[in-house]
Amino acid sequence: TWKSSWDLWDEWVRDNDVTRLRACLAYCLSFQDVDRIVVGVDGKSQLEEIVVASEEVITVLFPDLSSDDPKLINPGNWKIL
């Protein structure tokens, strides 16, 4: 259902030479009103990876991947996808 969005995302990540983690964190932190974000982790190494990625500043234009589909934007639905 969202293949074109995933394809655009994959192409953007590849073209900008960033990891998906770094891109996601940078996008959230690119908003002037956002000082902090909440993330979930499975362990210490994952948390360390997130901290390092969040400290790297990237200045790029992010693609428009907006969606109003509740199956995609509601994390409670992700288990059934």
Side-chain angles (χ1 to χ4, degrees):
T1 301
W2 308 287
K3 182 175 178 358
S4 62
S5 294
W6 298 135
D7 289 345
L8 178 62
W9 168 246
D10 287 337
E11 182 180 334
W12 183 88
V13 167
R14 187 175 45 254
D15 290 349
N16 287 278
D17 194 30
V18 295
T19 66
R20 286 167 174 73
L21 172 61
R22 188 169 161 211
C24 290
L25 293 172
Y27 177 74
C28 295
L29 295 169
S30 72
F31 293 94
Q32 193 170 17
D33 294 337
V34 175
D35 295 329
R36 294 173 180 87
I37 56 176
V38 176
V39 296
V41 298
D42 291 327
K44 180 181 175 185
S45 63
Q46 196 176 68
L47 178 60
E48 290 169 343
E49 181 182 4
I50 291 169
V51 169
V52 169
S54 70
E55 292 172 343
E56 300 171 9
V57 176
I58 62 173
T59 54
V60 294
L61 295 176
F62 294 95
D64 180 11
L65 298 171
S66 60
S67 175
D68 58 2
D69 185 339
K71 291 180 183 173
L72 181 61
I73 63 175
N74 181 348
N77 293 325
W78 296 350
K79 293 177 187 174
I80 59 172
L81 296 180

